[in-house]
């Protein structure tokens, strides 16, 4: 992914570090510092993080049920976990890639 600072430089847009972009709900969707480290994040309509990726190559993603409970997690380190909940939000099942 091309860093936002590179695009700003190409377009002649003045900026200072850190570059931080937030969505309408105040969640940081992009961040970049002067050392070149960056990350981008995505959120669902309830403000829960659904995806995160950074310049070190790490990423993770989340899925949620209709009540906002995290039901699935996966990352670039080949780790994943799945969780189920009952109608009152109590955890009823959990499994992960470690067995």
């Amino acid at each position: 992914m091309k860093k936002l600072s590179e695009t700003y430089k190409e377009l002649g847009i003045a900026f200072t570090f850190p570059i931080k972009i937030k969505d309408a709900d105040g969640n940081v969707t992009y961040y970049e510092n002067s050392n070149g480290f960056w990350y981008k994040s995505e959120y669902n309509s309830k403000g829960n993080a659904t995806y995160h990726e950074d310049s070190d190559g790490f990423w993770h993603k989340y899925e949620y049920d209709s009540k906002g409970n995290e039901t699935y997690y996966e990352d670039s380190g080949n780790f994943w976990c799945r969780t189920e909940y009952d109608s009152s939000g109590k955890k009823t099942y959990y499994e992960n890639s470690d067995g």
Side-chain angles (χ1 to χ4, degrees):
M1 185 182 107
K2 186 176 187 177
K3 294 185 290 186
L4 186 57
S5 61
E6 293 173 5
T7 301
Y8 282 174
K9 288 175 186 175
E10 289 173 3
L11 296 172
I13 298 172
F15 65 93
T16 59
F17 288 107
I19 300 171
K20 195 181 290 189
I21 298 175
K22 296 181 180 183
D23 64 16
D25 296 319
N27 299 307
V28 177
T29 58
Y30 182 85
Y31 173 88
E32 182 182 336
N33 68 23
S34 60
N35 294 329
F37 176 79
W38 59 263
Y39 69 81
K40 65 178 185 172
S41 298
E42 298 172 7
Y43 301 85
N44 65 18
S45 61
K46 295 183 178 183
N48 297 316
T50 57
Y51 184 75
H52 176 89
E53 175 183 359
D54 68 35
S55 57
D56 293 333
F58 182 76
W59 60 264
H60 55 260
K61 61 182 178 179
Y62 302 90
E63 294 176 8
Y64 303 88
D65 64 17
S66 60
K67 294 183 178 181
N69 297 308
E70 182 184 311
T71 57
Y72 185 74
Y73 169 88
E74 180 180 2
D75 67 32
S76 56
N78 295 319
F79 179 79
W80 60 265
C81 62
R82 183 177 321 277
T83 310
E84 295 177 5
Y85 303 85
D86 65 16
S87 59
S88 64
K90 182 179 176 185
K91 190 182 295 186
T92 58
Y93 179 79
Y94 177 85
E95 71 173 325
N96 67 32
S97 55
D98 294 336

